[in-house]
Amino acid sequence: MNRRQFLYQTLSASAVLVGTGYASVDMIRRSSKVWGPTEAEQAKAAVEQALKGAPLVDEAVSHSATPFAAAPDREGLSYAQPARAMQSMGPRYETPNEATGLTVPASSEAVAAVSPQPAISNTLTPDFATMTPAQPEGPVLDETAAAVEAPVYVAEVEDEAERVRQKVEHFEYDFSDDVLMTDTEYTTLVSALERLNRVQSYVGHGHFNVLSFDDMLRYARYQPRIGDFPTAELDYLEKLFYDDVSRLGFFGERVISDLTHSYAENDISKIPGSGHYLLRGDSEAFYDKVREKVGDTLLLTSGVRGVVKQYHLFMAKAVQAEGNLSRASRSLAPPGHSYHAIGDFDVGRVNGGLSNFTADFAQTDEFKRLQDLGFVKIRYTTDNEYGVRYEPWHIRVV
């Protein structure tokens, strides 16, 4: 048995039980000398940890694809290396903390300017070095929780519009023009995903939904259990955020232009019983109106997603897609391109479980009542031109 067969059989046979759902981890069919059993198990562990909070599943057959191109030269641009600069300089005002040997922002005013407000999460305190970790939470289902079977081989066509339609329909399959990560990029992404898993575990799933990039860096800096993001990880995170994602086959617009975008306390409202937030104003009012019309059997399954949350979802999907960034983008919008950041939200049927995140949701009474209302639109239809799979659960607000 060669290395490729060993990895394929080892990882294909692995499975993760997520709440009430079954999630197969079929990934990493690589033959590079640097990609051995140790690295494969590391990647597998990173995704399984991500699955505990927001399970992502995809199964497909690997085909050859175009390597991930090198990042463009951004020297002189306003957004060049903000994350690395932030981490190198640290907070503007610092004082030593004798109890921990770490440094923390000196004044409550300085912290208030850069950290989430207490109303967002009861576990937050101004002291990033001494805060109590969030208590363990139950599994959180997200929009890509349900497994799907790989389709039969799809004969690719030349017509661009038909090609996009094929990819939307067969989102879990590989196509010849898909963009694949290099081994170095893949290893870096897995390492960063592991670190994001530790951040989520520390702050809790609810707060992780709205955590800003800057605050993520602060938690990593002041909590040894998380660990600083090294330069390679920061550079790759920025590359993912700022690159032109249309080359992946994702044609949605960029809705967040700043990597360090954050939500103020007054911008968001936590929806009781859901663990999710909605933007105050149109988004919250629309959800209340829809739920009043449809009934209590409708629930919020995903609301506001900050940049960090979208990173976590997209990166876990990229690992499960065996480093195929195009395939990942057919299920998850790349960071900076998710409409969840500016008002859209997901709904499901109470006790619907994983079926809330499949086309089966379109067969429920709840979905039919949504359609009967006449004013509810879904973002990703069966004929959408974004290059994203059909999502009957994703409500368009903006």
Side-chain angles (χ1 to χ4, degrees), residues 17 39 56 171 179 188 281 286 304 309 345 357 393:
L17 190 63
E39 292 84 355
L56 303 171
F171 60 91
V179 176
T188 301
F286 193 70
V304 177
K309 174 67 174 181
F345 56 82
F357 311 106
W393 59 87

Side-chain angles (χ1 to χ4, degrees), residues 252-274:
E253 65 179 320
R254 176 179 291 280
V255 297
I256 298 295
S257 59
D258 185 1
L259 178 63
T260 60
H261 174 268
S262 62
Y263 298 99
E265 176 187 355
N266 293 332
D267 291 341
I268 58 179
S269 178
K270 191 167 188 178
I271 306 305
S274 72

Side-chain angles (χ1 to χ4, degrees), residues 102 154 176 283:
L102 300 175
V154 179
S176 61
S283 185

Side-chain angles (χ1 to χ4, degrees), residues 26-28 58 174 180 316-325 327-328:
D26 183 7
M27 59 187 185
I28 319 167
D58 208 355
D174 285 354
L180 201 67
K317 175 59 71 175
V319 171
Q320 290 207 324
E322 303 173 285
N324 186 331
L325 291 175
R327 174 145 58 99

